[in-house]
Amino acid sequence: MLLAIDCGNTNTVFSIWNGTEFIATWRTSTEWQRTADQYYVWLSTLMKFQNVEADITDVIVSSTVPRVVFNLRVFADRYFNTRPMVVGKPECALPVDVRVDIGTAVGPDRLVNTVAGYDLYGGDLIVVDFGTATTFDVVDHDGAYIGGVIAPGVNLSLEALHNAAAALPHVDISKPQMVIGTNTVACMQSGVFWGYVGLVREICARIKAEHGRDMRVISTGGLAPLFQQAVDLFDEYQDELTMHGLTVIHKYNKELAG
């Protein structure tokens, strides 16, 4: 069985893949100080609590936080007797090309989303990931990653607004009933929700025009379901896009190794 780990700037997701489906998924906050032993105590406790029996033989990691990778390597080696594949490292091959400026380091999560999107939907895609940052990844007709766009994340924007303006409260993002707010919270929610709808629509339109071909727009990430409420913004929503990509990359490397 495969343990797939997606470590983002805010949360880290652990999923167990049995070769056919994910049998369990858990989230924890991303903390680079967390030791290999702490990871194991946390994971094994949850597995026991939910009666999940899994003989983990392989581990693959995608991490946008480089400092956590060392302890995850130790975790995999110490408790599962395996050296994990780490996306972005030379020893972890990708089934797609990466065509960007020489010397550019592309985030592992963006590469994994590209692999997953191409595997599920084919080429000519825009993958919009609502994470700590809102990213737009462009997938060419042959599955290659050819660049994208990075914008501030929704919650990051709300937090910045709250911190920079003393009179503005912290609010939870939701779709407002009306565009014109009649109180401070409604005004902020409208600005963020419709502002990001406009941002996504405009950026995707410009990418399509520049790409010169019709493209499908795929959404993923924690706040993606919220923005699915905006009509005609996305063609598909995929909750487990990154995790699916990790299974594809793992399988590809196993086949290369023979």
Side-chain angles (χ1 to χ4, degrees):
M1 289 191 181
L2 172 68
L3 175 61
I5 304 173
D6 172 33
C7 179
N9 289 294
T10 304
N11 294 317
T12 299
V13 181
F14 288 69
S15 289
I16 299 176
W17 173 258
N18 67 2
T20 304
E21 62 181 354
F22 289 108
I23 62 173
T25 297
W26 301 281
R27 291 177 178 269
T28 184
S29 58
T30 298
E31 298 175 2
W32 68 265
Q33 304 97 327
R34 188 169 296 174
T35 67
D37 300 329
Q38 287 174 316
Y39 278 119
Y40 182 72
V41 169
W42 171 80
L43 182 63
S44 61
T45 300
L46 287 172
M47 290 175 66
K48 183 177 181 181
F49 180 75
Q50 295 186 10
N51 296 315
V52 175
E53 296 184 4
D55 182 16
I56 295 170
T57 58
D58 295 88
V59 179
I60 185 168
V61 177
S62 169
S63 177
T64 59
V65 185
R67 298 177 77 178
V68 307
V69 173
F70 174 78
N71 282 332
L72 288 173
R73 284 186 185 274
V74 174
F75 161 73
D77 178 65
R78 180 176 298 169
Y79 292 103
F80 303 114
N81 195 32
T82 184
R83 180 177 178 82
M85 296 180 190
V86 179
V87 178
K89 299 297 182 183
E91 63 271 16
C92 183
L94 296 175
V96 299
D97 290 333
V98 179
R99 296 198 286 265
V100 294
D101 294 343
I102 295 175
T104 299
V106 180
D109 55 330
R110 307 182 77 182
L111 298 176
V112 174
N113 284 348
T114 296
V115 170
Y118 184 62
D119 183 70
L120 291 171
Y121 305 105
D124 293 324
L125 299 177
I126 303 171
V127 179
V128 184
D129 189 346
F130 291 92
T132 304
T134 300
T135 59
F136 300 73
D137 299 319
V138 184
V139 184
D140 208 352
H141 66 94
D142 60 351
Y145 175 83
I146 57 173
V149 176
I150 301 174
V154 178
N155 286 321
L156 193 63
S157 295
L158 274 173
E159 196 65 30
L161 195 60
H162 168 63
N163 289 335
L168 296 181
H170 176 80
V171 300
D172 293 325
I173 180 64
S174 65
K175 181 182 178 181
Q177 296 296 317
M178 301 176 64
V179 175
I180 301 174
T182 55
N183 57 69
T184 301
V185 170
C187 289
M188 293 174 67
Q189 289 176 332
S190 183
V192 172
F193 181 84
W194 293 113
Y196 271 85
V197 168
L199 179 144
V200 171
R201 199 183 301 280
E202 179 68 14
I203 287 179
C204 287
R206 288 180 176 272
I207 289 173
K208 291 176 182 179
E210 197 169 280
H211 192 60
R213 286 193 295 272
D214 189 33
M215 306 180 77
R216 298 178 77 180
V217 182
I218 314 301
S219 70
T220 191
L223 286 175
L226 172 67
F227 289 95
Q228 285 294 117
Q229 300 177 56
V231 178
D232 297 330
L233 198 60
F234 304 107
D235 296 302
E236 301 282 349
Y237 162 66
Q238 181 57 247
D239 180 40
E240 296 183 336
L241 188 71
T242 305
M243 285 302 170
H244 178 76
L246 288 174
T247 68
V248 174
I249 294 171
H250 174 263
K251 181 180 178 182
Y252 179 73
N253 280 268
K254 284 293 187 180
E255 291 173 348
L256 285 180

